[in-house]
Amino acid sequence: MTTLSTASAHWCAIRTTSGSCFHPRRLHSLSSFPSSTSGCRRPVLSPTNKRLSTFSAMDAAAAAVLSSKESPLVLDPKMEEEYASQSKLLLEFSDVPNIDRAWVFQPEAGKNSKVMFSISQSNLLANKKRKYLMSAFITNDGNDSMTFEWSPFPVEMSGVSIAIPSPSGSKLLIVRNPENDAPTKFEIWGPSKVENEFHIPQTVHGSVYADGWFEGISWNSDETLIAYVAEEPSPPKPTFDIFGYKSEVSKNKDCNSWKGQGDWEEGWGETYVNKRRPALFVIDVNSGEVRATEGIRRSLSVGQVIWAPSTECLHQHLVFVGWSSGSRKLGIKYCYNRPCALYVVPSPFSDSKSNEAEHSSSALGDSDLVNLTEGISSAFFPRFSPDGKFLVFLSAKASVDSGAHSATNSLHRLDWPSDGKPNLSMKINDVVPVVMCAEDGCFPGLYCPSFLINPWLSDGHTIVLPSIWHSTQVILSVDVLSGNVSCITPHDSDHSWNVLSLDKNNIIAVSSSPVDVTELKYGCLVRESAKSTSWSWQDVSSPIFRCSKKVESLLSSLQFSILKVPVRGVSESASEGAKKPFEAIYVSSKSKTDNSCDPLIVVLHGGPHSVFSSAFSKSLAFLSSVGFSLLMVNYRGSLGFGEEALQSLPGNIGSQDVNDVLTAIDHVVDMKLADPSKIAVLGGSHGGFLTTHLIGQAPEKFVTAAVRNPVCNLALMVGTTDIPDWCFLETYGNEGKLKFTEAPSKEHLTVFYDKSPISYLRKVKTPTLLLLGAQDLRVPVSNGLQYARALKERGVEVKVIVFPEDSHGIDKPQSDFESFLNIGVWFKKYFK
């Protein structure tokens, strides 16, 4: 299913936990482990206490089971020792922070640039992400050697939903979204104090979007207005009292009445349950006045807003991405196959008379709202060039047109009118088209996970962006006039890279690998001639990614390589892209003893149109550090290998992808990198679909398995998921887009069942660990529970943990921690 890189799971006889999976005896030595429902320290119990007197996350029946002397949760001393050892190590990996974004502020002439990083770190006790800011001055030591002078301490941003500095760096917007019906708080910070604070009531709008997709916060050029996306005000709900319906509703709370539910309105699916309609607003940073942008039809959900270039005598326009919901809002998380377009609309602070004059001469017709990209099915991440002459944007038209939830991107350009008046006749120019099948070693196409707000080099027509290239992520430069694409990260690097910000013509980036914690890098543009450039990269000494000595030592004992795996049994009629080798990332210890191999965990990503890149993963590095080799398989259908290879999978799930994984396993066994008697398999979402298929189709191959929110029964999933179109597309291939219906026929359900892992259930004998999120809308919990109960009925050893408050990602810090702790212990149990 549609998560970027999923691999987890859990244990115990079907039960529910709130964020920790420890038997009461463990609480004596691990008493500081928190409950995810309360975020507080659990009571310390003596080792002889067999009853759990206080356990708020469980109901009375579950507590009774826990207190029983025959409880299935009782751990033998060796298992307890394993839990204690692995949990301590996992805590050290969990402490490693992440950089979420960065901004560079250009100084006055002759002064140093300043960079500010937004950083997050797991806070297990609070079960939240801790957010903080850290700054540094960049000084040039000569010969393109840069030094970062760091601030002595980071500054925690407690309760902050999003922080966005103004273009000049002189102001900082802080948004604090409420957790109830309280107002949304806007704070405008200057260099030394809060200059303005505004509380925006729910009657104006709900929470500001800070999700990275609908999210759009944009300062205008003179830093007096901020455009942003927020949830439109909730429609009024009916009120009742002891006399029945109340036609007049008081603004004050009335204990003698209550509010009804009113009409149900659909949200945007997984992680967007209560997000009905993202709408566009503008706030005056001096007065605090907020205005909704008019003229946008209600069927359009808004995101990614930016200001159009300002021109003399004209009021500013706003450019944004709009998604039309149609008859149903299908899930949008990780689903780039939802049609979207770029629109332009006047700012709500435009003067009405001037706007009328402009309107009459702009060829916009009768509406202020104009679709700029009618000729293409997808357009997002709009960015204006520094001189305002053109607008570039990414497109997922390959995804929208084919129905695949993610596919190869393309890049396009609109030439913006010199008079600043947008019109319907602007031509869409193709800059980087969809690459179907690249020659060996050549650019495989755009797979862009993010886009800087300011991606431009100083020439004004070259942008810098990250992209997946096979099993690595690289940084590309693209000339939007010529379409020339260059990889600017070191060609001999098998690490993965990401761009954080630009410092004029230089790049602040990060680089990591499966066995190397993230490092900060600084790239300098070197002009060798008028037509030739190169990039010089240097390491940046940083306090951000420091980890414990133990973690450093363990990682230094590991190695990784990217393996090319020849396709086996490919049809002659297959496309050229489908015949090319796929890849797998192999992680192992540097030293072998007695020519023996460590147990191998085959790790399978979700999607299926996702990818494992060679970037650092705390969770997978933890598993590597407790004695396992890893094989992360990028089977055909993964991102980064061209559109033909990707499109070979829809219609062939459960066969082509399964065969690719088995081929990859045989490949490393033949290379003497793995012992065929010591193999486990781990996957989530579609990776869980593959895992449960594998233990059914090749039951002798795997000693044990673990899955997270797995797709086990498509016939059950299609009627309950937020993306039923996915079931049709991946089952039927291109025909699935035409066959899609909200009311599948008996024939459809039969085909879905036959494509599902549950159809191989009778062959399964592999002990299996399942981890399920009770709030999952993508692969609802019923899918995993049905499979687990069916396995248990057949006498297969099954352990299940259900996280009551987690959705598909199971990414709450405590849940993520417990997930990988249980995976490590579960696998160790079967490889003693």
Side-chain angles (χ1 to χ4, degrees):
M1 281 285 3
T2 53
T3 51
L4 284 182
S5 40
T6 60
S8 318
H10 275 60
W11 110 212
C12 84
I14 300 175
R15 73 178 180 93
T16 301
T17 180
S18 62
S20 193
C21 180
F22 301 105
H23 174 64
R25 291 173 58 197
R26 291 302 307 132
L27 294 176
H28 176 66
S29 58
L30 296 173
S31 59
S32 62
F33 278 76
S35 162
S36 65
T37 54
S38 65
C40 299
R41 185 192 287 277
R42 288 182 178 174
V44 178
L45 304 179
S46 71
T48 57
N49 189 347
K50 300 296 184 181
R51 296 191 61 86
L52 186 61
S53 58
T54 305
F55 201 54
S56 61
M58 299 286 186
D59 59 20
V65 171
L66 282 172
S67 64
S68 169
K69 291 184 179 180
E70 297 181 0
S71 167
L73 298 179
V74 173
L75 303 176
D76 61 49
K78 287 186 177 180
M79 289 295 288
E80 286 202 81
E81 184 179 342
E82 192 68 45
Y83 260 95
S85 172
Q86 289 200 28
S87 64
K88 185 176 180 180
L89 177 60
L90 184 54
L91 281 173
E92 297 191 48
F93 275 97
S94 298
D95 277 343
V96 179
N98 298 309
I99 295 180
D100 299 323
R101 60 180 78 189
W103 304 269
V104 172
F105 307 116
Q106 299 301 335
E108 300 173 5
K111 294 188 177 180
N112 298 325
S113 299
K114 184 178 182 180
V115 59
M116 183 170 71
F117 298 93
S118 175
I119 302 167
S120 61
Q121 184 181 22
S122 291
N123 183 347
L124 285 166
L125 285 175
N127 202 19
K128 294 180 179 179
K129 290 285 188 180
R130 178 180 281 116
K131 298 179 181 180
Y132 52 95
L133 297 177
M134 198 160 188
S135 301
F137 284 102
I138 305 173
T139 59
N140 190 334
D141 296 337
N143 298 320
D144 291 326
S145 177
M146 299 294 176
T147 299
F148 280 53
E149 298 177 7
W150 294 93
S151 55
F153 299 103
V155 177
E156 185 170 6
M157 306 294 284
S158 180
V160 173
S161 301
I162 193 165
I164 301 291
S166 65
S168 69
S170 63
K171 298 176 182 177
L172 178 67
L173 168 68
I174 297 292
V175 178
R176 302 180 191 271
N177 282 325
E179 295 184 356
N180 44 39
D181 293 333
T184 301
K185 297 179 181 178
F186 283 66
E187 299 167 6
I188 308 297
W189 287 73
S192 60
K193 64 176 183 178
V194 177
E195 295 182 349
N196 283 307
E197 181 174 346
F198 309 112
H199 293 196
I200 314 303
Q202 295 280 327
T203 53
V204 177
H205 63 65
S207 294
V208 173
Y209 279 75
D211 62 309
W213 188 236
F214 287 115
E215 175 188 326
I217 297 181
S218 181
W219 292 77
N220 70 344
S221 57
D222 63 8
E223 302 184 356
T224 59
L225 300 172
I226 299 173
Y228 60 96
V229 178
E231 183 67 13
E232 73 169 3
S234 298
K237 296 181 178 181
T239 302
F240 305 93
D241 61 15
I242 58 174
F243 300 105
Y245 173 69
K246 289 183 67 175
S247 58
E248 295 184 4
V249 181
S250 171
K251 292 184 179 180
N252 299 321
K253 289 187 177 181
D254 183 358
C255 61
N256 295 314
S257 65
W258 74 93
K259 286 186 179 294
Q261 295 301 313
D263 293 347
W264 176 74
E265 187 172 354
E266 199 162 35
W268 277 102
E270 173 70 17
T271 74
Y272 292 103
V273 176
N274 297 314
K275 303 298 186 183
R276 301 168 295 102
R277 182 176 179 255
L280 185 53
F281 300 86
V282 178
I283 185 171
D284 185 312
V285 302
N286 296 313
S287 68
E289 181 184 3
V290 175
R291 296 184 186 179
T293 304
E294 298 179 351
I296 302 175
R297 58 182 181 271
R298 289 202 77 256
S299 62
L300 210 59
S301 289
V302 171
Q304 302 177 19
V305 61
I306 60 172
W307 292 89
S310 57
T311 57
E312 293 183 9
C313 304
L314 283 179
H315 288 275
Q316 283 191 287
H317 286 79
L318 297 167
V319 173
F320 64 88
V321 181
W323 291 265
S324 185
S325 57
S327 60
R328 175 180 175 179
K329 292 187 178 81
L330 291 166
I332 203 168
K333 184 76 170 179
Y334 302 129
C335 292
Y336 299 93
N337 56 329
R338 308 300 174 222
C340 56
L342 299 186
Y343 295 84
V344 62
V345 69
S347 163
F349 281 87
S350 296
D351 178 76
S352 58
K353 291 185 178 180
S354 296
N355 195 39
E356 287 177 8
E358 177 187 334
H359 190 68
S360 64
S361 62
S362 66
L364 295 183
D366 296 330
S367 173
D368 287 332
L369 180 69
V370 177
N371 184 338
L372 298 172
T373 56
E374 284 189 344
I376 193 168
S377 57
S378 170
F380 56 94
F381 289 160
R383 301 291 186 265
F384 278 101
S385 60
D387 59 10
K389 290 184 178 180
F390 38 82
L391 173 67
V392 298
F393 60 91
L394 279 174
S395 174
K397 64 178 183 177
S399 184
V400 174
D401 297 347
S402 69
H405 72 89
S406 187
T408 313
N409 296 141
S410 52
L411 184 70
H412 306 270
R413 186 188 79 243
L414 282 171
D415 295 326
W416 200 250
S418 57
D419 60 4
K421 299 176 182 177
N423 58 71
L424 298 173
S425 62
M426 292 189 292
K427 179 186 175 183
I428 298 174
N429 300 283
D430 297 337
V431 177
V432 180
V434 171
V435 175
M436 299 303 295
C437 179
E439 295 295 325
D440 291 346
C442 295
F443 171 61
L446 271 181
Y447 303 89
C448 189
S450 59
F451 210 148
L452 294 180
I453 293 297
N454 179 19
W456 302 94
L457 296 180
S458 60
D459 63 11
H461 56 82
T462 301
I463 61 172
V464 174
L465 71 170
S467 184
I468 298 295
W469 189 309
H470 296 178
S471 297
T472 65
Q473 182 168 294
V474 301
I475 301 175
L476 303 175
S477 69
V478 181
D479 187 321
V480 301
L481 297 180
S482 69
N484 182 58
V485 179
S486 300
C487 178
I488 61 178
T489 42
H491 292 284
D492 59 350
S493 173
D494 53 7
H495 288 45
S496 281
W497 295 66
N498 192 24
V499 57
L500 296 176
S501 188
L502 301 185
D503 180 17
K504 297 179 182 176
N505 269 349
N506 303 322
I507 299 174
I508 298 173
V510 286
S511 172
S512 69
S513 84
V515 300
D516 296 284
V517 175
T518 306
E519 294 180 334
L520 205 57
K521 303 285 186 176
Y522 193 86
C524 297
L525 178 64
V526 180
R527 295 199 176 275
E528 298 172 348
S529 66
K531 294 185 177 180
S532 176
T533 60
S534 63
W535 289 83
S536 171
W537 293 94
Q538 70 174 74
D539 298 335
V540 175
S541 178
S542 162
I544 297 175
F545 298 111
R546 290 175 184 165
C547 53
S548 70
K549 294 293 184 183
K550 185 171 186 179
V551 168
E552 284 184 3
S553 175
L554 287 168
L555 291 177
S556 68
S557 69
L558 301 174
Q559 60 187 351
F560 84 100
S561 59
I562 299 175
L563 308 176
K564 287 194 177 296
V565 183
V567 176
R568 188 168 62 188
V570 65
S571 168
E572 287 298 323
S573 62
S575 65
E576 286 304 309
K579 296 176 182 177
K580 288 181 174 289
F582 58 96
E583 292 183 352
I585 302 171
Y586 177 72
V587 183
S588 66
S589 171
K590 288 180 179 177
S591 59
K592 285 187 178 181
T593 58
D594 302 325
N595 294 319
S596 63
C597 298
D598 289 331
L600 178 72
I601 303 175
V602 180
V603 191
L604 305 172
H605 66 69
H609 310 301
S610 178
V611 67
F612 278 125
S613 71
S614 60
F616 183 72
S617 161
K618 290 180 279 188
S619 303
L620 295 182
F622 160 72
L623 291 177
S624 301
S625 299
V626 294
F628 297 104
S629 296
L630 304 181
L631 185 68
M632 297 176 274
V633 184
N634 286 323
Y635 46 86
R636 285 173 295 162
S638 301
L639 300 178
F641 295 84
E643 189 64 9
E644 284 186 357
L646 186 144
Q647 292 295 345
S648 71
L649 183 55
N652 295 309
I653 59 168
S655 53
Q656 177 178 299
D657 45 4
V658 168
N659 289 334
D660 282 355
V661 175
L662 293 173
T663 300
I665 294 171
D666 290 344
H667 186 70
V668 294
V669 169
D670 291 344
M671 295 175 68
K672 309 298 183 185
L673 299 176
D675 182 337
S677 67
K678 297 191 293 185
I679 299 176
V681 60
L682 166 65
S685 196
H686 185 83
F689 173 89
L690 276 174
T691 298
T692 46
H693 254 302
L694 285 161
I695 61 176
Q697 294 191 41
E700 305 295 335
K701 201 95 172 175
F702 304 98
V703 174
T704 183
V707 289
R708 177 174 69 187
N709 286 332
V711 179
C712 301
N713 186 350
L714 289 161
L716 175 62
M717 175 182 166
V718 70
T720 55
T721 179
D722 65 331
I723 53 168
D725 58 324
W726 180 91
C727 299
F728 279 88
L729 188 282
E730 297 298 341
T731 298
Y732 287 100
N734 292 334
E735 295 178 15
K737 203 175 175 189
L738 299 176
K739 289 180 179 290
F740 171 54
T741 172
E742 295 284 359
S745 67
K746 181 169 64 175
E747 290 75 18
H748 290 147
L749 296 176
T750 300
V751 175
F752 288 145
Y753 184 88
D754 291 343
K755 281 276 188 180
S756 299
I758 201 167
S759 66
Y760 293 90
L761 185 81
R762 67 190 183 281
K763 296 182 178 180
V764 178
K765 55 186 179 182
T766 308
T768 304
L769 176 62
L770 292 98
L771 167 64
L772 308 173
Q775 304 303 315
D776 189 352
L777 298 183
R778 183 86 3 132
V779 186
V781 67
S782 55
N783 231 264
L785 288 177
Q786 182 195 44
Y787 189 80
R789 288 163 177 155
L791 286 182
K792 192 174 182 182
E793 182 181 58
R794 298 186 62 83
V796 178
E797 186 172 1
V798 179
K799 303 286 187 179
V800 177
I801 294 178
V802 177
F803 289 91
E805 303 302 323
D806 276 87
S807 55
H808 191 59
I810 310 184
D811 51 7
K812 292 181 181 296
Q814 290 176 5
S815 305
D816 181 68
F817 178 88
E818 186 182 357
S819 299
F820 283 91
L821 173 58
N822 277 275
I823 292 167
V825 173
W826 177 260
F827 285 167
K828 279 286 186 179
K829 174 183 176 181
Y830 291 95
F831 287 116
K832 287 183 179 179

